[in-house]
Amino acid sequence: MTWMRWRPAIEHALYRPDGGFYRRPEGPAGHFRTSVHASARFAGAVARLLAGVDAALGSPDRLAFVDVGAGRGELTVAVRAALPAGLRDRVAFHAVELADRPADLPPDIAWGPDLPTGVSGLLFANEWLDNVPLDIAGRDEDEEPRYIEVDEEGHERLGDPLDRQDAAWAERWWPDGERIELGGPRDAAWAGAVDALESGLAVAVDYAHTRDTRPPFGTLTGFRDGRETAPVPDGGCDLTAHVALDAAAVPDRPALLTTQRAALHALGVSGERPPLALASTDPVGYLRALGGAGEAAELTDPAGLGAFHWLVQAVRMPVPDDLADLPGWQTLPS
């Protein structure tokens, strides 16, 4: 039996080259449904946001779309298809992913594990940070936080006390609770993504919580074959934990933390049903509009995908018009 802290256990289970969960050929879509898979309207909203970023940047000769945690490239391909030809011809598409390049990916989409640097445009990270490995702490009999160790079958035990850096993070961002999901690696990953932009907009989309709503027993869970399951670091299931997005926000950059429901509404995604009169004058159009409204309703459902949070940060550019009126924009102190 091998005991290790959760961070290396997650890293090994999800990303090892010889059988990690995210290296498997079926990809994430074989195990769970994301907004990308739910409806093309999600990609349409991201394409609209990319067009807004282009306008805010003054329509540069070259504009980047960076899809971080690209899965099998589904979002990048769909955004590419949704863009008008004039804009699409100016966009450099980058899919950032550890898995091998899909055989059918269009050749103009760059693929690889590293973020491009010095680019201007939209960086979009959909359900990426929740899979960045992190350590988990529990409290001993004296209420002091210690690292939790796990074996290959998912059994846990308390290990060493937290080091200085993790203890400081916990004290600032997660001071209460029986289990603490230590988000420092995610904060660093997001800071690296934001810093990769010369100018543009960076968006992280994930299930999330803030300091005043931290779950007392944490959120770590697994997904196997489309079903939620116990988190076992065996490579056969996804391992995911909600994200402390308020902690991840990079200081000195304009930032917005909002719900997916609010963000998609601002980008024109509405679940409003078409008028019934359309069924008489244009039955095919009515059915098409009704189906689109159903997809939009799923994306914005406050009890489902609409409950995702968006962390949006502007880098050396004005806030795009579509998002400018959303409440909550602030520049965080360093």
Side-chain angles (χ1 to χ4, degrees):
M1 181 181 298
T2 301
W3 293 94
M4 64 178 71
R5 282 159 42 175
W6 265 109
R7 185 180 179 187
I10 294 171
E11 181 78 35
H12 182 73
L14 297 186
Y15 302 116
R16 68 179 185 270
D18 60 338
F21 178 82
Y22 277 99
R23 307 275 191 169
R24 294 168 61 167
E26 72 272 17
H31 296 268
F32 49 86
R33 180 176 172 87
T34 72
S35 299
V36 178
H37 308 122
S39 171
R41 288 175 175 259
F42 186 77
V46 177
R48 175 170 168 170
L49 181 57
L50 179 58
V53 171
D54 180 57
L57 289 172
S59 299
D61 291 339
R62 203 62 173 158
L63 184 73
F65 176 68
V66 184
D67 180 6
V68 186
R72 296 302 177 267
E74 298 97 333
L75 179 61
T76 307
V77 170
V79 168
R80 177 178 173 273
L83 292 173
L87 176 55
R88 184 171 61 243
D89 292 343
R90 290 192 288 110
V91 174
F93 297 95
H94 302 269
V96 181
E97 178 58 61
L98 292 175
D100 293 338
R101 180 187 181 95
D104 58 349
L105 195 72
D108 62 329
I109 297 176
W111 182 276
D114 300 320
L115 287 161
T117 57
V119 298
S120 295
L122 174 61
L123 181 146
F124 203 86
N126 186 59
E127 296 192 55
W128 170 55
L129 287 177
D130 67 303
N131 290 126
V132 172
L134 80 174
D135 277 316
I136 298 175
R139 298 188 183 277
D140 63 20
E141 63 274 9
D142 297 319
E143 294 299 308
E144 292 300 317
R146 291 177 173 270
Y147 293 109
I148 292 177
E149 297 177 342
V150 63
D151 68 10
E152 298 94 332
E153 297 179 350
H155 304 120
E156 294 183 335
R157 70 181 187 186
L158 289 179
D160 294 332
L162 303 190
D163 64 26
R164 182 179 302 178
Q165 185 174 6
D166 282 334
W169 190 95
E171 183 176 0
R172 179 178 181 185
W173 294 110
W174 201 316
D176 302 311
E178 293 298 313
R179 289 172 68 95
I180 304 164
E181 292 162 357
L182 298 161
R186 294 168 170 191
D187 300 353
W190 180 243
V194 173
D195 288 346
L197 287 175
E198 175 64 28
S199 58
L201 200 71
V203 181
V205 182
D206 254 306
Y207 279 125
H209 43 66
T210 56
R211 194 178 187 278
D212 58 348
T213 61
R214 302 283 188 240
F217 299 102
T219 61
L220 180 69
T221 191
F223 286 92
R224 191 190 307 266
D225 299 326
R227 296 176 180 271
E228 189 169 7
T229 186
V232 178
D234 60 1
C237 69
D238 186 26
L239 297 170
T240 176
H242 295 190
V243 184
L245 279 179
D246 52 340
V250 177
D252 297 328
R253 304 289 190 198
L256 169 69
L257 186 59
T258 189
T259 64
Q260 173 155 297
R261 179 180 176 86
L264 290 184
H265 280 170
L267 292 167
V269 177
S270 171
E272 184 176 350
R273 294 168 64 93
L276 189 58
L278 184 63
S280 300
T281 60
D282 183 4
V284 174
Y286 175 78
L287 291 175
R288 185 182 303 113
L290 190 63
E295 292 177 0
E298 181 182 3
L299 289 172
T300 59
D301 180 359
L305 295 174
F308 274 84
H309 280 72
W310 286 35
L311 171 61
V312 186
Q313 297 209 253
V315 180
R316 303 182 190 93
M317 65 165 281
V319 175
D321 289 344
D322 282 325
L323 301 183
D325 291 335
L326 286 175
W329 280 103
Q330 59 180 312
T331 298
L332 303 171
S334 58

